[in-house]
Amino acid sequence: MKREQRAPEPTAVPGAEQGAVLSFHAPALAAARAVALGASLLAALIGAVGLSGWIFDVGVLKSVLPGVDASMKPNTAVALLALGLSVFLPARGPLTPRTVTVARTAAVLAGLIGGLTVAEYVTGAHLGIDQLLFQDDTARVATGTPGRMAPNTAVALTLGSVASLCASTRRLPAWTSQIPGLVVLTLGMLRLYGFAYGVPQLERFGDYTGMALHTALALVLLGIAVFLARADEGPAGLLMNAGTTGALGRRLLATILVVPPLLGWAVLAGEDAGLYGTRLGVALLVCGQVTAFAAVIFVALGVGRRIEVAHARAEQQVRQNALLQAFMDHTPAAVFIKDLDGRFLAVNTRFEQETGLSRERALGLRDRDVLPPGLARHMRTADADMLARGTPVQREEVLDLPGGPKDVLTSLFPLTDSSGRPYAVGGVVTDITARVAAQREVQRAHRRFLALLESAPDAILITDGDGTIVMANAQVERLFGRGSADLVGAEVVDLVPGPRRRRHRALLDGYLRLPDAKPMVLDRDLYGLHGDGREFPVEVSVSTLQAEQETLIFLTVRDITERRQAEADRAERYEQQRRIAYTLQHSLMGEPPRLPHLPSAHRYLASVQGPGVGGDWFDIIPLDRDRTGIVIGDVMGRGLEAAAVMGQLRAASHALARTGVSPSRLMTGLDAFVGDLGDQLVTCAYLVIDQDAGEVTVCSAGHLPVIALPPDGPAHRLPAPVGVPLGVSDLGGGGEPFRETTRPLPPGSTLALCTDGLVERPGTDIDVQIDVLAHTLEVTLKGAPADPRILDEAASRLIGALIPDTAAHDDDVTLLLVALPTADGNGSPA
């Protein structure tokens, strides 16, 4: 037979309240088990005594009171003995297969005896079991069949057998045994009440045999034993409850079992003594019961009030515990509470995440039972050290958690009772891995910054917003002759010569007042002061850094003494080269001839930037008595190379023009000449003025248009085809790349020729500037005679109108004005 054992009590979370519940349960259950054992044993003993009376034919053992015709029958004695043993064995525990078998066999025997007897009463049959063991000489014919037990006894024994079988079967609910047990108890109590109150109707039913007095006592004991056999379950569990409800139930039950019987006995005793009649006796009984139960009610009210107060306190404690648990669960750190033996009493959600342990698994177990051995030993050592100190402890450490090693901030503190003695350990473990990593990165960045600061080739000073030095690198000592440690706390203007400090401070203040101060480099009229009193020019790079709540200023200082000397030397060489180039250009370009029949004026402005000279040139070439050639050109680039190319082109164009070639042939020849030079680009325009015919022939190689001012019309661009610049004709394809055109040019007309330096400006439209040139020419020379002096003044006015700041232009400028006299020899219209 398979061994049956009771399931162990569920393990609860260790704590103050749960510990109190367990301590109250144990004595109550032990007392209930002792009562069940004693009652079942006494019931079996009563059965054995009755059976002995039949064996040894002792009448007093068969019937306790003399003169009473109801006696314990042999079958009843055997059944009581069997039932007592069947209840005693399960109540003693623990159950083994053998004890279960014996108990159930005894219960079945008692049930057969009682059940067969009930069947005899119901059917009227005689089964031959009544005097199976002994011949009954105690029964009267009028009171029933000899040897047959009373009907109520048979029913009680049958129910007792059922209750015993259910009590030994743990799979069945406890009430299946306890309810029949209470019925058996009630049947026995009825017989005792009948004896106590002298009511024979409660002894027997009709003419049937009555229940013996000691049989009734045995049945009461059996009912109590069966009811308490499983005292921690079912209705018995309500009475054995360790709380106030269990105590209140036990008191009420005791009152019900004791007070009414005593009051009834006292009332009947007064009636028998003739002190009062039946009506007064009933009134006294009711009054006594009301009084007794009223007293019980008030006692119950007091207990109930205490229960309500305790319940309110418990609810408050539950709410506080819920709030505390919610607070712990929403805390980003891992929180736990352990008793002094290392058992976890409470943990939060973060603890579960960090350790990989569910709350149900961790609570109630020691740290060494649920954590890795190394981590558990570390925690126990830390707890012991903290308890030995008696004060909270906080430290940073690295814990080898299931998810990997992490940097944590551990806080341990003792939880003490009212006397100050610790009863638990609280802990808060905060994951600071990211913070520690950030601190390490800050430290590494600081070290890198210091290394970068010290490795910089220039002196670096870091000041606050007031100009006080907070940091300096080692190069400062080399530059200023003062150690970096000596400079910290000093004013940065102390490193500036005295007379210049006011200006330096103003520059620094002005930089800080800028709404968006961007890094800048200052090197104009800035000087440093060496420790020996020597002054030297410096270049200072200034930038700002917003650090926390203050502004830091970075000053990178460099000694530029050698640079200033090199700049001076370079400027001197540049000026010398510029004078040479300028002289070369003027010598190559020469002075154009002044023709009496063709007055002219010109202007040449060299660029004020770069080498200063370029490749602009012009020339007036007499061809014959009535024909004059005019050429103007611009070699791209500046410097001596451009001036040399210009000189060659001027000579070539002059030579070709003197041969009498047409403008287009001259341009073709110049293009071939420029092509031989290589990597040169030249714009050029060539005009042949025929004063006798009153016309001009023009050919342009990418040059600006010629402005014509006729005597009887507005100034306008002289229509002429524009070819590609010289030096790129091969890119334009074969054939004649340059075309010429002949336009009428009446006497009294004025021509204006220029290079792009006059009309080309950044941010302006060159066509607009050409229109400005034409308009200014018209305003200046309209109706004026062809006089060189007037042309010269007009040239100055044109230069002033198109170049307002001649000291800042960045390109060569060439302007040529040519006027054709009228037929009467002046510039006025005929």
Side-chain angles (χ1 to χ4, degrees), residues 630-642:
I630 299 175
V631 62
I632 187 169
D634 184 3
V635 179
M636 300 303 169
R638 297 177 187 170
L640 293 177
E641 182 179 1

Side-chain angles (χ1 to χ4, degrees), residues 338 341-344 365-372 376 379-380 383:
K338 298 185 293 183
D341 292 331
R343 293 185 180 89
F344 287 104
L365 298 179
R366 292 181 174 89
D367 43 16
R368 66 171 178 265
D369 298 328
V370 295
L371 297 177
M379 294 184 67
R380 292 302 297 159
D383 294 346

Side-chain angles (χ1 to χ4, degrees), residues 29 57 479 558:
L29 293 178
D57 195 20
L479 185 63
R558 177 178 298 175

Side-chain angles (χ1 to χ4, degrees), residues 54 58-73 136-140 143 191-192 194-196 198-200 202-204 208-216:
W54 287 99
V58 180
V60 70
L61 298 181
K62 299 177 184 179
S63 179
V64 177
L65 297 177
V68 178
D69 56 357
S71 62
M72 181 183 293
K73 304 304 181 183
D136 184 9
D137 56 358
T138 63
R140 299 175 183 178
T143 59
R191 174 64 181 93
L192 294 178
F195 171 76
V199 182
L202 296 179
E203 176 185 349
R204 63 170 53 89
Y208 295 112
T209 302
M211 181 186 296
L213 190 61
H214 50 323
T215 299

Side-chain angles (χ1 to χ4, degrees), residues 674-689:
V674 173
D676 293 338
L677 297 178
D679 296 330
Q680 294 292 334
L681 185 64
V682 181
T683 63
C684 183
Y686 179 55
L687 294 75
V688 176
I689 299 174

Side-chain angles (χ1 to χ4, degrees), residues 33-51:
R33 183 174 289 109
V35 172
L37 290 174
S40 60
L41 193 59
L42 284 176
L45 182 61
I46 292 174
V49 169
L51 185 60

Side-chain angles (χ1 to χ4, degrees), residues 273-323:
L275 298 177
Y276 43 79
T278 302
R279 288 183 175 275
L280 180 58
V282 173
L284 292 174
L285 177 61
V286 172
C287 181
Q289 290 183 348
V290 169
T291 302
F293 282 104
V296 172
I297 287 173
F298 281 107
V299 172
L301 289 176
V303 175
R305 179 56 183 168
R306 290 195 296 271
I307 293 174
E308 290 178 354
V309 173
H311 182 69
R313 291 176 180 174
E315 287 185 343
Q316 180 66 22
Q317 187 64 40
V318 168
R319 286 193 295 268
Q320 290 179 354
N321 291 342
L323 290 174

